[in-house]
Amino acid sequence: MDFYFSKTLKCTVDEGVEKITLLLKEEGFGIITQINIQQTLKEKIGVDFREYRILGACNPYFAHEVLNTEDKIGLFLPCNIIVQDKGEGDCEIAAINPKSTISSIGNPTLTDMSCKVTEIMGKVIRMLT
């Protein structure tokens, strides 16, 4: 099982962030964190790097449910999504497959819940245009 879903589009990273944010919103998810890796690496160690963003997506209802089931699950939250420049006008958007990571915990209740989120993440990536 792959640990992510991805799709490559002809767009900028900013456009990719906008597209995935809107699709996630339709599914009840919001972006609660955004890390600009390009900017961070430049500021911290003076390295030039391609545009690369890490978005933290969260659905408060799912988060509440899993946190009540396993208090250490916060180590896996929020659901990470990357949006990166692949060159030549291509932008890759990839989302974590929660089922692949949560299954390592061995809690059947969490695995069942992660299947719902996995379905949504896969659907959102497939819907990108």
Side-chain angles (χ1 to χ4, degrees):
M1 172 187 330
D2 287 334
F3 68 95
Y4 66 92
F5 305 102
S6 72
K7 193 169 200 178
T8 300
L9 308 174
K10 285 286 185 198
C11 69
T12 66
V13 169
D14 285 336
E15 291 168 337
V17 168
E18 185 177 332
K19 289 173 186 263
I20 193 68
T21 299
L22 289 172
L23 287 173
L24 286 166
K25 186 176 183 180
E26 291 174 13
E27 298 294 332
F29 283 77
I31 301 300
I32 61 171
T33 61
Q34 185 171 160
I35 302 167
N36 184 326
I37 295 296
Q38 180 186 46
Q39 179 183 347
T40 300
L41 292 177
K42 186 66 171 177
E43 289 174 1
K44 301 294 183 186
I45 60 174
V47 172
D48 289 322
F49 196 75
R50 69 185 176 280
E51 283 190 87
Y52 191 110
R53 311 263 177 85
I54 303 172
L55 310 177
C58 182
N59 177 305
Y61 299 104
F62 287 128
H64 182 252
E65 198 173 341
V66 297
L67 286 164
N68 278 326
T69 303
E70 170 57 61
D71 68 342
K72 306 301 184 290
I73 199 68
L75 294 166
F76 291 94
L77 301 178
C79 292
N80 283 331
I81 296 164
I82 61 169
V83 182
Q84 66 175 318
D85 180 9
K86 296 301 278 184
E88 298 182 18
D90 289 340
C91 172
E92 180 186 32
I93 302 172
I96 190 151
N97 175 343
K99 185 178 177 184
S100 70
T101 54
I102 300 299
S103 64
S104 67
I105 296 171
N107 181 327
T109 302
L110 287 175
T111 301
D112 290 345
M113 286 186 243
S114 72
C115 288
K116 295 175 193 172
V117 179
T118 295
E119 184 178 314
I120 292 168
M121 289 297 164
K123 173 184 169 185
V124 166
I125 294 296
R126 287 189 305 277
M127 290 176 61
L128 285 165
T129 59

